[in-house]
Amino acid sequence: MRLTSLDVFRGITIAAMILVNMAGVADDVYPPLAHADWHGCTPTDLVFPFFLFIIGVAMTFSLSKYTEGNKPSSAVYWRILRRAAILFALGLLLNGFWNQGIWTFDLSSIRLMGVLQRISLTYLLASVAVLNLPRKGQWILAAVLLIGYWVTMMYVPVPEYGAGVLTRDGNFGAYVDRLIIPKAHLYKGDGFNFMGDPEGLFSTIPAIVNVLAGYFTGQWIRSQPVQSRTSIGLGLFGVGCLIIGWAWGWTFPINKKLWTSSYVVFSSGWALLLLAACYELIEVRVMRRWSKPFEIMGLNAIALFVASVLLIKILVRTTIGTGKDAPSTYNWIYQNFFASWAGTLNGSLLFAIVTVFLWWAVGVLMYRQRWFLKV
């Protein structure tokens, strides 16, 4: 069984990821296309957890034959480990690409963690959990991870800071990351200054639950008829998660960079609502013409994401002209073709939209050639 609505959901997510990544390079950007500075949640903050949720839903179908009384062989675990290792390696490639030169990787200071690294670890750990725990055990694990993370972050004291300090350097997750990861390999941007990482090791623990939430959702969908009542059920679950996440946020603030437990539940609620809409339109009402562009992008999501990040780095690192005042290729294109007539905010948005269309065209070419790059 293939869930076309899931491919479309994945395509919407990768298009949104390319959009916000490109728009975020500019100095001026519309607030919904930027991450919340700290506590809070913008539409941009939902893109990453959506991808984890989608991985979980897809796992329902890819691992189904191994979770219904048929124990997986060692080859299955090796295949999962291989996929996780490739994703982690791709993340390191993106982190190290063009630090000094185009093919020069400074291994002494490369950032260890990142988006693909978190996807790698959560996929690996969630897969092991669903292959070895009964359904009730999986739910208990999800609850333990969320509640345990909350209690630890709020009540375990950090040396020199104390307990419940949710700053970039004072939170317990950053403290654990500093103990495990050498300082030179932590994140230096966004005010972290090598004192923590927004995709750190410790904060990856609750992110596992985003994948498990997708897995639970996929299991439920497989047991339901293709009818509007299934879409309504997804929507109701989504609203419930939004309410719980919002309420939890009063004591443990919704925060993407800390990946708080309230953020996990809140973002899963939005993922359920978007999946419900895709499911109703595509599976139930069979309205698919609008969704084909997103489906095409969803079939090569990782390839398009990696290529788009590499392109951004090239545009930012290369210059037009020579001399110390030579603008980067990105700024030259942005200023001359977009900001000069549309203004800064509209210019950054239009540049990002054009970039999404560029990668959609690449996706169409790959689709027509039947090139589906998977890890």
Side-chain angles (χ1 to χ4, degrees):
M1 175 183 177
R2 186 168 192 92
L3 202 62
T4 303
S5 54
L6 182 64
D7 290 329
V8 173
F9 186 8
R10 187 187 295 110
I12 293 172
T13 301
I14 196 62
M17 191 173 283
I18 294 171
L19 181 76
V20 299
N21 281 349
M22 196 65 180
V25 179
D27 293 330
D28 297 298
V29 61
Y30 281 108
L33 297 180
H35 291 291
D37 180 61
W38 197 236
H39 296 327
C41 186
T42 71
T44 296
D45 292 320
L46 298 174
V47 176
F48 191 3
F50 279 9
F51 210 89
L52 297 181
F53 181 89
I54 290 165
I55 289 172
V57 179
M59 280 169 49
T60 309
F61 301 94
S62 63
L63 299 180
S64 61
K65 60 184 175 181
Y66 304 114
T67 57
E68 297 172 354
N70 181 21
K71 291 189 73 70
S73 65
S74 59
V76 175
Y77 287 106
W78 277 114
R79 188 157 59 246
I80 292 171
L81 184 61
R82 172 184 167 276
R83 290 173 178 170
I86 292 174
L87 285 169
F88 203 96
L90 287 173
L92 290 177
L93 168 68
L94 295 184
N95 287 351
F97 182 74
W98 212 321
N99 280 339
Q100 280 79 36
I102 187 168
W103 300 116
T104 302
F105 286 79
D106 185 1
L107 297 179
S108 66
S109 62
I110 191 173
R111 180 189 174 200
L112 180 63
M113 297 298 290
V115 170
L116 291 178
Q117 291 92 318
R118 173 159 289 180
I119 292 175
S120 164
L121 294 176
T122 54
Y123 163 72
L124 173 63
L125 296 172
S127 296
V128 171
V130 302
L131 288 174
N132 290 276
L133 294 175
R135 184 172 301 184
K136 184 178 180 180
Q138 296 163 14
W139 280 91
I140 292 173
L141 174 64
V144 168
L145 292 180
L146 291 182
I147 296 173
Y149 186 73
W150 169 45
V151 171
T152 302
M153 291 287 283
M154 295 301 296
Y155 299 107
V156 177
V158 175
E160 301 181 11
Y161 291 93
V165 178
L166 300 181
T167 60
R168 281 169 170 80
D169 55 343
N171 72 86
F172 187 83
Y175 170 66
V176 172
D177 287 343
R178 292 195 297 271
L179 289 178
I180 299 174
I181 304 174
K183 184 176 181 179
H185 300 287
L186 289 169
Y187 189 55
K188 67 178 179 179
D190 192 29
F192 281 90
N193 299 320
F194 301 108
M195 295 295 286
D197 198 304
E199 283 89 37
L201 279 172
F202 192 74
S203 59
T204 295
I205 292 173
I208 297 169
V209 182
N210 287 97
V211 181
L212 290 176
Y215 182 77
F216 300 151
T217 300
Q219 280 189 317
W220 186 79
I221 289 175
R222 292 183 72 217
S223 67
Q224 301 300 308
V226 183
Q227 297 177 3
S228 291
R229 73 179 190 183
T230 302
S231 309
I232 293 171
L234 289 171
L236 291 175
F237 287 140
V239 171
C241 287
L242 288 179
I243 294 172
I244 294 171
W246 173 82
W248 200 346
W250 284 96
T251 57
F252 193 25
I254 294 172
N255 187 309
K256 175 189 178 294
K257 292 164 186 174
L258 294 177
W259 213 277
T260 55
S261 305
S262 57
Y263 170 71
V264 172
V265 179
F266 188 75
S267 60
S268 295
W270 282 113
L272 282 162
L273 288 176
L274 183 53
L275 179 58
C278 291
Y279 188 89
E280 176 67 21
L281 292 174
I282 296 167
E283 312 295 346
V284 179
R285 305 194 182 190
V286 199
M287 299 169 60
R288 300 190 174 188
R289 179 173 295 182
W290 68 273
S291 66
K292 194 62 179 181
F294 295 114
E295 181 185 351
I296 289 172
M297 295 189 75
L299 292 172
N300 271 303
I302 292 294
L304 293 179
F305 170 72
V306 172
S308 68
V309 173
L310 291 176
L311 176 63
I312 289 174
K313 288 205 166 194
I314 291 171
L315 292 177
V316 170
R317 296 285 185 174
T318 57
T319 60
I320 300 297
T322 58
K324 63 179 182 178
D325 295 326
S328 68
T329 305
Y330 173 90
N331 280 331
W332 187 86
I333 296 173
Y334 167 59
Q335 293 294 339
N336 286 278
F337 292 95
F338 298 98
S340 60
W341 61 273
T344 54
L345 290 175
N346 289 333
S348 64
L349 175 60
L350 287 173
F351 196 1
I353 291 174
V354 168
T355 304
V356 173
F357 276 105
L358 167 67
W359 289 113
W360 170 76
V362 173
V364 170
L365 175 62
M366 297 176 73
Y367 181 79
R368 289 178 175 174
Q369 296 295 323
R370 313 306 294 175
W371 295 339
F372 301 115
L373 304 182
K374 300 182 183 298
V375 297

